[in-house]
Amino acid sequence: MTSPADEELLAESEAVLRRLHNRVGDERFRRWPATHREAFGAAMADMVTHADGTRSFGPNSPVPAWVRREFDGRMGPSECPSLALATTGEPRDWSRLLADHPEMRLTNHYYAEPEPGAILAAHELLRDCGLEPWLDVELELNLVGKQIVPDAGAGALYTPHPLPDDVRTEVTALLGPNARLLLDTPTGRGDMNGWEWW
């Protein structure tokens, strides 16, 4: 027998999936495995929104403790028509995070160039120069066993600092022609310099 709280979560999960289905259409919706769709609906229904608008994984979501430590209270709502659980963008040591947790993958959210290795190399170059870079990342649903370990789908790389000419040239070469260079671009975090490929 299910509790009223369980029934409420199930109803919200079904509503999440209906909205996604209506947004992407039947053909695309069915490309995602049913287990992934169900896990996404349940995680989104369980998501906690804080007073400041940030989000955390809910208590019923099968998320490893390290994912909660890294992302709870640092996520915002995703607007992507996909199995994106949230968006996150802040200075973060992605090299350490990915090395410590190889079950989490860095991807290009759009599955095109630049390649994940180039994205990480560009991020590290900016970090090494003290430019406090941050990746604009969609946390895409990924299941490792029965746990949610989101993939980090990067769509942009920013810094709040001016870009020295040599650094700008090197990062632009690393990221390739699909990454558009933007200088003094207004974002939700203030004016930024960087590259976008979304």
Side-chain angles (χ1 to χ4, degrees):
M1 188 167 142
T2 58
S3 70
D6 290 339
E7 289 177 5
E8 186 177 330
L9 276 175
L10 180 59
E12 178 57 26
S13 173
E14 290 170 352
V16 165
L17 292 175
R18 272 195 308 276
R19 288 192 297 271
L20 181 61
H21 180 271
N22 291 342
R23 192 166 178 198
V24 302
D26 191 61
E27 182 181 343
R28 184 166 174 206
F29 185 80
R30 295 199 180 282
R31 286 183 199 162
W32 294 308
T35 53
H36 286 67
R37 296 192 310 256
E38 290 164 12
F40 174 78
M44 293 305 294
D46 195 42
M47 196 74 71
V48 175
T49 301
H50 305 289
D52 64 358
T54 61
R55 293 185 173 186
S56 295
F57 289 103
N60 299 304
S61 295
V63 179
W66 69 264
V67 171
R68 291 183 187 279
R69 278 193 310 274
E70 290 288 341
F71 298 109
D72 277 1
R74 300 177 187 173
M75 300 183 292
S78 173
E79 297 179 359
C80 288
S82 66
L83 299 185
L85 298 159
T87 185
T88 186
E90 61 180 43
R92 185 186 303 277
D93 186 349
W94 283 104
S95 287
R96 176 203 51 84
L97 181 60
L98 295 165
D100 289 351
H101 304 287
E103 65 275 29
M104 179 180 219
R105 300 173 298 193
L106 178 68
T107 70
N108 178 333
H109 179 65
Y110 299 91
Y111 301 99
E113 290 184 356
E115 296 294 326
I119 295 168
L120 192 58
H123 179 269
E124 285 308 291
L125 175 62
L126 294 178
R127 280 188 82 233
D128 291 345
C129 293
L131 296 176
E132 301 175 303
W134 56 278
L135 289 170
D136 187 88
V137 166
E138 295 294 328
L139 295 175
E140 292 276 354
L141 183 111
N142 181 44
L143 295 176
V144 176
K146 295 187 177 182
Q147 289 197 307
I148 295 172
V149 178
D151 285 340
L157 172 62
Y158 299 110
T159 174
H161 301 288
L163 290 165
D165 289 345
D166 59 334
V167 172
R168 182 173 62 213
T169 299
E170 191 171 349
V171 172
T172 297
L174 277 169
L175 295 175
N178 281 355
R180 297 176 311 278
L181 175 65
L182 301 166
L183 301 175
D184 300 319
T185 302
T187 73
R189 299 179 54 143
D191 286 355
M192 296 285 167
N193 297 297
W195 297 260
E196 296 176 346
W197 51 90
W198 45 272

